[in-house]
Amino acid sequence: MDSGKNQLRLVDITKSFPSDQDRIDVLDCINLSISPGEFVSILGPSSCGKSTIFNLIVGLIQPDSGVILLGDVPIRGVTGNFAYMQQNDLLLPWRTVIQNAVVSAEIQDKQKTKLKARATELLAWIGLKGFEKSYPVQLSGGMRQRVALIRTLLLEKEMLLLDEPFCALDAITRSSMYQLLLEIWQEWEKTVLLITHDIEEALLFSDRVYILSDRPATVRDEIYVELERPRSVTNREFISYKQQLLDTLGT
């Protein structure tokens, strides 16, 4: 795969929003990139503008200045090039598990018969066989997030944008979701950009970690994580990386 052709780059991105008195500066000259097959995390304090970066990438909003490039092509408006999984599962309460899993792909006019067959296969793969006709209210938080993840995968996009998808889960469920996501990334050869404020989460997954400052966010540092996978939070090198990130966030 030509990494230059499909590389996503944010170049000198600045963004602010109107307020009652003036404007709120959110992003200040953000530069970052991700190449095909990479797993990259954006780590920063709460409300520093991380989700704004994703909204810019998918074209929901436009930057005040700077450019977003996919390869050499500027992104202007909604392109449909990315599969975006948000913090909340956003399952529709009146639709069953299988219906929720296929809803986004249905909107893109994918063939329903093939879509449901693929969804059934994937739901079984992630441990939800037998729950296809259940409704969201009947599912645990972890099960709901699994459905949301399958819904994202069924869009069949090369790049996944994950906005703190596991932050509301308990520790045990979150650990199982970590294993599932790592398996998907490795076996499906996806490109993943993850937003998180959890240092260990960033280190467990990432090839690189961008560290953002408080708002207006700038890139404080870019850390290359040279650890073999699977990774352990008790590993001495892992702990050293964790301290490095803590020191950077604390400065």
Side-chain angles (χ1 to χ4, degrees), residues 55-126:
N55 289 333
L56 287 163
I57 290 172
V58 299
L60 295 177
I61 56 176
Q62 299 301 309
D64 297 338
S65 62
V67 63
I68 302 174
L69 300 165
L70 188 58
D72 295 323
V73 180
I75 294 176
R76 297 187 178 93
V78 178
T79 64
N81 287 320
F82 311 97
Y84 186 5
M85 182 175 174
Q86 297 176 301
Q87 294 180 27
N88 299 319
D89 58 68
L90 301 178
L91 299 185
L92 302 175
W94 60 88
R95 292 181 68 115
T96 63
V97 164
I98 190 77
Q99 290 170 339
N100 268 291
V102 302
V103 63
S104 295
E106 278 183 349
I107 293 171
Q108 295 190 359
D109 293 327
K110 295 183 181 292
Q111 292 185 3
K112 289 186 178 181
T113 302
K114 290 183 178 180
L115 196 58
K116 287 194 174 182
R118 181 61 172 152
T120 300
E121 177 186 342
L122 290 175
L123 288 168
W125 178 61
I126 64 167

Side-chain angles (χ1 to χ4, degrees), residues 16 30 54 56 80 84-85 87 103 121 145 149 160 176 183 186 198 249:
S16 62
I30 294 292
F54 273 13
L56 287 163
Y84 186 5
M85 182 175 174
Q87 294 180 27
V103 63
E121 177 186 342
Q145 285 301 93
L149 184 56
L160 307 181
S176 67
E183 187 175 345
Q186 291 176 325
D198 187 309
L249 285 166

Side-chain angles (χ1 to χ4, degrees), residues 1 6 35-37 81 156-160 189-192:
M1 184 180 295
N6 297 285
S35 296
N81 287 320
E156 297 182 329
K157 305 299 181 182
E158 179 183 313
M159 186 176 295
L160 307 181
E189 299 181 341
K190 294 290 185 181
T191 305
V192 179

Side-chain angles (χ1 to χ4, degrees), residues 142 146 169-181:
R146 281 177 163 82
L169 302 179
D170 63 84
I172 295 174
T173 305
R174 191 161 58 244
S175 179
S176 67
M177 291 298 293
Y178 287 170
Q179 292 297 116
L180 178 61
L181 179 57

Side-chain angles (χ1 to χ4, degrees), residues 153 184 187:
L153 292 173
I184 288 169
E187 292 191 11

Side-chain angles (χ1 to χ4, degrees), residues 121-146:
E121 177 186 342
L122 290 175
L123 288 168
W125 178 61
I126 64 167
L128 289 180
K129 184 176 182 179
F131 289 91
E132 295 87 352
K133 295 182 180 180
S134 299
Y135 287 89
V137 70
Q138 299 171 299
L139 306 180
S140 68
M143 294 166 76
R144 292 172 65 104
Q145 285 301 93
R146 281 177 163 82

